[in-house]
Amino acid sequence: MLQLQQIGATSAGLAYIDLLSYRDKLMELLLFSSASTSTGFLAHVAQEIVKRRNGRQRALFIPFASVTTSWDRYTDIVREALKETGLEIRGIHEVVDSLSEIARADCIIVGGGNTWRLLKECRDRAFLDAVPKRVRENALYVGWSAGVNMACPLIATTNDMPIVDPRGFAAFGLIDFQINPHYTNAVPEGYGGETRDERIIEFLTANPTARVLGLPESDWLHISSTQAELRGETPAMLFLANQPPREIPLGLLPAF
């Protein structure tokens, strides 16, 4: 069983997290379910970075989730899409001393793709300690899709196929609850496999102290030292063990 830290409990005995008590360990996170919306590729990401930049200049992009597109190409695409933010973006694979560069970064951007590949490459390079340390020193963390999974305690609620062995599920642990990006419980006609809800419930059956937030397409979270907010177009879904899923409206997140 993959045990998560138990933060507290209700009268029913189920673990919950109070974001207000945990936020003092965080600085600022922007967590996007997906890279593309009706406004284009990373357009909504760029708009939010501009709002939160606060003089930050040096940005590192971690492209390791990309499998079929080269890391150089992925970095170029992201750099072009985010050029209006004013950030100076470098691919982490391009630098000589990546750990030193992380320690000096103002912003760490983690792109989507395959979460298993992303975690393996980060673990191999000792990023699992270096990135959280820098984020808690006031580097802005920006992630979409797989980059959201990496902000969680574990990557266990990713939608991706395990194409490589990352030697464990532990991720950056910047938040103390799980997120399922691209969340939908829609069932295509003729589909006979498990629904997304069923898969999340299976995870919670094996890990009953966990909390899972289903983050729909076009939605994102802004988590700072003062508040946690759900933004976008669609309410999120909160999953707790032995309870029916609960809709979470757009706006400030309640404690859960």
Side-chain angles (χ1 to χ4, degrees):
M1 183 182 298
L2 303 172
Q3 293 290 345
L4 299 184
Q5 181 183 4
Q6 183 167 331
I7 301 300
T10 67
S11 58
L14 301 176
Y16 283 71
I17 179 171
D18 181 348
L19 285 174
L20 288 174
S21 67
Y22 191 67
R23 270 188 230 129
D24 61 351
K25 303 175 185 177
L26 298 171
M27 301 311 296
E28 191 159 26
L29 312 178
L30 288 169
L31 305 177
F32 299 85
S33 182
S34 54
S36 297
T37 66
S38 58
T39 59
F41 180 70
L42 294 184
H44 61 315
V45 177
Q47 291 171 359
E48 291 302 309
I49 290 176
V50 168
K51 295 177 186 176
R52 323 286 177 192
R53 184 182 160 195
N54 293 329
R56 296 178 175 105
Q57 190 72 26
R58 301 168 60 90
L60 288 175
F61 175 59
I62 299 179
F64 301 148
S66 181
V67 178
T68 57
T69 300
S70 74
W71 295 342
D72 285 343
R73 177 60 180 151
Y74 194 12
T75 301
D76 287 342
I77 292 171
V78 169
R79 187 183 289 122
E80 175 65 21
L82 299 181
K83 64 182 180 181
E84 300 303 324
T85 65
L87 290 173
E88 297 175 358
I89 300 174
R90 301 178 68 189
I92 193 69
H93 64 293
E94 300 170 340
V95 303
V96 175
D97 187 344
S98 56
L99 294 179
S100 293
E101 291 296 328
I102 289 173
R104 301 192 311 165
D106 299 319
C107 178
I108 296 173
I109 304 170
V110 186
N114 186 276
T115 309
W116 302 84
R117 172 76 176 276
L118 172 60
L119 176 57
K120 180 182 185 303
E121 297 294 337
C122 286
R123 187 186 303 281
D124 288 349
R125 291 165 172 78
F127 288 1
L128 296 188
D129 291 325
V131 168
K133 181 178 185 296
R134 185 57 187 150
V135 172
R136 292 184 175 112
E137 293 170 344
N138 201 31
L140 175 65
Y141 182 93
V142 180
W144 58 87
S145 191
V148 171
N149 290 129
M150 282 296 295
C152 299
L154 308 170
I155 66 162
T157 48
T158 179
N159 302 306
D160 302 329
M161 296 186 78
I163 62 172
V164 294
D165 179 6
R167 306 191 317 279
F169 292 173
F172 291 145
L174 298 171
I175 56 178
D176 207 3
F177 59 96
Q178 295 294 127
I179 296 175
N180 176 243
H182 310 288
Y183 170 76
T184 176
N185 200 43
V187 179
E189 184 177 355
Y191 178 75
E194 296 92 345
T195 66
R196 188 75 60 86
D197 284 14
E198 289 171 339
R199 291 178 176 176
I200 294 173
I201 290 169
E202 287 176 346
F203 170 77
L204 288 169
T205 300
N207 304 274
T209 62
R211 288 80 52 205
V212 182
L213 188 69
L215 193 64
E217 298 287 7
S218 302
D219 279 10
W220 69 93
L221 294 174
H222 172 233
I223 301 176
S224 72
S225 59
T226 58
Q227 66 182 26
E229 185 178 8
L230 173 66
R231 304 192 62 192
E233 301 175 1
T234 308
M237 294 297 292
L238 176 64
F239 294 82
L240 304 170
N242 303 315
Q243 295 189 29
R246 175 161 60 97
E247 187 174 282
I248 303 296
L250 299 177
L252 296 180
L253 283 185
F256 57 79

